Amino acid sequence: MTAQSMGQSPPTPDRSERARQATHVALAVTCLVDLFRPRVGFAAVTLLEAAGCAVSVPDGQTCCGQPAQNAGRAADAADLARRAMALYGGFDAVVVPSGSCAGTMRRHYAGFFPAGSEERAAAQDLARRTYELSEFLALRGAAVRARFDGRVTLHDSCSCRRDMGLHGEPRQMLAGVAGLELCEIADGEECCGFGGTFAVKNPDVSLNMAGSKLDAAEATQAGAVVAADLGCLLHLAGAARRQGRPLRFFHIAEVLAGQTCDAGTGIGEDGGDD
């Protein structure tokens, strides 16, 4: 199964070729992974090394700037972009286990700086080298050696689906997991209600949207929800737990790395978060 066979436009040769030829990649861990689910970062390193990459996790990582951008604090967002541009210079590729943060770096950094400036050129260079994790693995043709016995549904975050244009890539990778049956969720293009600061500013609406998403997930009869964005997963797992729903939640990196068995407790479960 390929991304193209799932209705996705073929990737540009430049991005595909860059992913295949990358030897030294930087992992941009993201704030949520660092603070709430570090095992996702370790799973990402495992996957990238298994795909033949030398992986560095540069010191000094901090927020990508998306919350500042969403809050209208353009100067703060630009400062964080400058920090990332300096931190990730020189790597063949920058891989991010989050469509949200990857989208900010790839799709929005350049707009923070004046046209024709050296900073915009540096942002555009970083954009060309930035990938969401499942996208990078799919473009690189990475093999999957994991097993997950059960039915799962994939939640496409708004950032992955709309901002990054990713749809087939995570499905292509999950198709390689032995024992995994992927069920498509109804109205999969609908937001789960997290939306970063949206969940803070509009908690009632946000929780109603989470309830609708969980209803749709349960209707698939899947036992687990998988996504590439930890923000969505934390939001949905919290709502499910408060509502007494039996669904489990995993980041796609954990599933692809085979870290859902043994000590692989799900997000929001007792002992499940680091």
Side-chain angles (χ1 to χ4, degrees):
M1 188 179 294
T2 65
Q4 291 93 319
S5 71
M6 299 178 191
Q8 184 191 0
S9 299
T12 62
D14 179 61
R15 291 194 62 76
S16 297
E17 192 64 21
R18 187 184 296 273
R20 284 195 293 270
Q21 294 185 357
T23 57
H24 190 192
V25 307
L27 177 68
V29 175
T30 82
C31 301
L32 291 182
V33 168
D34 184 34
L35 294 173
F36 294 101
R37 193 81 170 171
R39 66 181 67 181
V40 171
F42 289 106
V45 171
T46 297
L47 291 166
L48 291 170
E49 289 181 341
C53 299
V55 183
S56 291
V57 184
D59 290 335
Q61 296 191 34
T62 185
C63 177
C64 67
Q66 186 194 53
Q69 180 194 14
N70 291 346
R73 300 178 67 91
D76 292 334
D79 282 345
L80 290 165
R82 290 187 185 95
R83 184 186 180 100
M85 287 151 51
L87 199 65
Y88 301 124
F91 292 98
D92 298 329
V94 181
V95 181
V96 193
S98 162
S100 176
C101 302
T104 299
M105 296 167 65
R106 188 159 101 195
R107 302 265 301 151
H108 301 286
Y109 273 8
F112 296 167
F113 306 107
S117 66
E118 291 184 2
E119 288 184 318
R120 176 170 284 198
Q124 290 170 333
D125 173 63
L126 178 60
R128 285 190 287 271
R129 295 182 287 114
T130 298
Y131 297 82
E132 184 275 329
L133 175 64
S134 68
E135 173 196 24
F136 180 83
L137 295 171
L139 290 177
R140 193 174 174 85
V144 180
R145 300 178 179 86
R147 183 173 192 88
F148 185 105
D149 290 313
R151 177 179 291 191
V152 307
T153 190
L154 176 70
H155 166 61
D156 294 307
S157 70
C158 297
S159 292
C160 269
R161 186 161 184 150
R162 297 192 178 92
D163 204 20
M164 298 280 284
L166 304 179
H167 185 263
E169 291 86 347
R171 288 164 174 79
Q172 177 183 339
M173 297 307 299
L174 289 173
V177 178
L180 186 148
E181 180 185 357
L182 181 62
C183 305
E184 291 294 342
I185 195 169
D187 299 325
E189 72 281 3
E190 297 290 335
C191 176
C192 69
F194 175 60
T197 55
F198 178 85
V200 177
K201 295 177 178 177
N202 304 278
D204 293 338
V205 176
S206 174
L207 284 175
N208 282 334
M209 294 172 72
S212 297
K213 182 64 68 177
L214 292 170
D215 288 342
E218 287 184 330
T220 68
Q221 298 184 335
V225 177
V226 176
D229 275 272
L230 190 55
C232 301
L233 288 164
L234 290 167
H235 176 62
L236 290 171
R241 182 160 183 167
R242 288 191 292 274
Q243 296 169 12
R245 301 181 189 247
L247 286 165
R248 307 187 74 201
F249 299 84
F250 294 101
H251 191 281
I252 191 170
E254 298 173 277
V255 176
L256 295 177
Q259 297 183 3
T260 55
C261 300
D262 301 327
T265 46
I267 295 166
E269 298 174 13
D270 291 336
D273 300 321
D274 307 79

